[in-house]
Amino acid sequence: MSRAELRIKVENLVENVKSLCRFSQKPIIAVVKADAYGVGAMQVCSVLEGLKEVSAFAVACVEEGIELRKAGTKKKILVLGGVLKGEERAFVEYALTPVVSHREHLKVLEGIDIPIQVKYDTGMGRLGFLEELVKDRRVEGVLSHLSSPLDEDHSRLQIERFQRITKHYQNLKYVHMESSAGVIYHIPFTTHIRIGLALYGEKPMQNYPVELKPVLELRAKLLSVKTLPTGFPVSYSKSYITDKPTRVGVVAFGYADGLMKSLSGKANLFYRGKPLRILGNITMDMSMVDLTNTDAKVGDWVEIVGQNQSFTDLAKLAGTIPYELMTNLSSRIRRVVL
């Protein structure tokens, strides 16, 4: 039993994978770092592991890779976040593929006979070699990252730089640069696309050319329902005062669960398709909503994300990006695979 659930629609997740592959004509490296963007890496990988369209998984650090291996993941796992001293044994023991982006990473891996992939910084200013070519018999792949996919001029410049780099390599198994948004460029010389957000049905841009189905439903239960009189304060700092007798519900979901406090007074939750205004400040574990003209009762589910709004919709109201909302989802939210 749980007070809050993130429900994962497997059928739609699989369909999104197939749609992305059809559009790009390339297999997917599924990005499941940060607990699959908060969705649940174990649950997501258990579904994607059996799909021929998914060639590999990508995580941020060794610890995430180890967790997936212990959970039974068999496919290739790339560790995107570099290599630190002391991690070399884990790469061997758990058959993880390091992505090297600095000479120090290569030093750590000296004498270790495992496949490696090399990252190049073509205009992100984060991880990656600039113009220094890595000549190493262990190199099986090269990659880069588009910093601003909506900026076509900069993206084209990055693609050109990356293509010049790839020409110095032969017999690569993996060449990848396209992200969820980056698939719009149909880069002809890459072998894979590296996808995170779009897998989960969240569109990285308006007019996205790939038809995506919603994968996630986030909901929480009502803890209390009562009618407050006119002039009654609601939440911390008396941040809302009722202007008439108001039926107020307390939802078991707050900023500790991932509903950002900045959404106070801006966002709606939903009950059977009816929008419920959030009243006053969102608190750590609870949010208050206006239940006027509903028959909602204690124990009923209230929708936070689902049929009526996406993480992208909430992110716009919060002045952020859906990645931040999703990765802040609490571990106390039960992940349910449908």
Side-chain angles (χ1 to χ4, degrees), residues 97-100 106 109 114-118 134 136 138-141:
T97 302
V99 173
V100 300
L106 287 168
L109 296 170
I114 57 173
I116 65 174
Q117 298 196 21
V118 182
V134 174
D136 189 307
R138 298 172 296 176
V139 175
E140 66 165 11

Side-chain angles (χ1 to χ4, degrees), residues 145-335:
H145 191 60
L146 294 169
S147 72
S148 311
L150 297 183
D151 182 336
E152 185 173 349
D153 289 341
H154 184 64
S155 296
R156 294 291 182 194
L157 178 62
Q158 283 194 262
I159 292 167
E160 289 170 13
R161 287 173 177 166
F162 190 45
Q163 185 172 25
R164 287 199 298 268
I165 289 165
T166 61
K167 286 180 179 178
H168 291 278
Y169 289 91
Q170 293 180 338
N171 303 318
L172 291 173
K173 295 179 182 177
Y174 294 85
V175 179
H176 44 110
M177 187 182 203
E178 292 138 293
S179 58
S180 291
V183 296
I184 63 172
Y185 292 103
H186 286 287
I187 301 175
F189 61 89
T190 59
T191 61
H192 294 71
I193 56 174
R194 198 173 61 242
I195 305 295
L197 189 70
L199 294 177
Y200 313 118
E202 296 284 334
K203 296 182 179 181
M205 61 181 68
Q206 289 184 336
N207 303 317
Y208 194 55
V210 185
E211 185 61 39
L212 299 178
K213 293 189 174 181
V215 172
L216 306 174
E217 289 181 353
L218 181 61
R219 64 183 192 170
K221 286 189 173 180
L222 282 166
L223 297 171
S224 169
V225 178
K226 63 188 178 187
T227 300
L228 298 180
T230 303
F232 204 91
V234 178
S235 198
Y236 288 115
S237 305
K238 299 185 292 184
S239 44
Y240 180 81
I241 307 291
T242 58
D243 57 3
K244 62 182 183 298
T246 305
R247 197 161 182 260
V248 175
V250 180
V251 182
F253 207 91
Y255 59 75
D257 300 292
L259 192 62
M260 297 174 68
K261 188 171 180 287
S262 60
L263 289 167
S264 302
K266 297 179 183 177
N268 290 323
L269 307 185
F270 291 84
Y271 178 74
R272 295 179 181 172
K274 178 180 174 59
L276 308 175
R277 186 165 50 122
I278 296 176
L279 304 178
N281 285 327
I282 294 167
T283 69
M284 184 178 292
D285 312 301
M286 291 168 258
S287 302
M288 280 63 75
V289 293
D290 187 348
L291 290 176
T292 303
N293 298 324
T294 76
D295 59 358
K297 59 187 182 300
V298 172
D300 282 354
W301 290 106
V302 169
E303 177 193 302
I304 301 158
V305 165
Q307 220 173 5
N308 296 284
Q309 71 183 351
S310 65
F311 282 104
T312 301
D313 295 330
L314 282 177
K316 288 177 182 174
L317 292 173
T320 185
I321 53 178
Y323 303 84
E324 184 177 13
L325 285 177
M326 293 169 69
T327 56
N328 281 334
L329 293 176
S330 169
S331 59
R332 68 186 179 188
I333 302 167
R334 184 182 176 212
R335 272 69 173 174

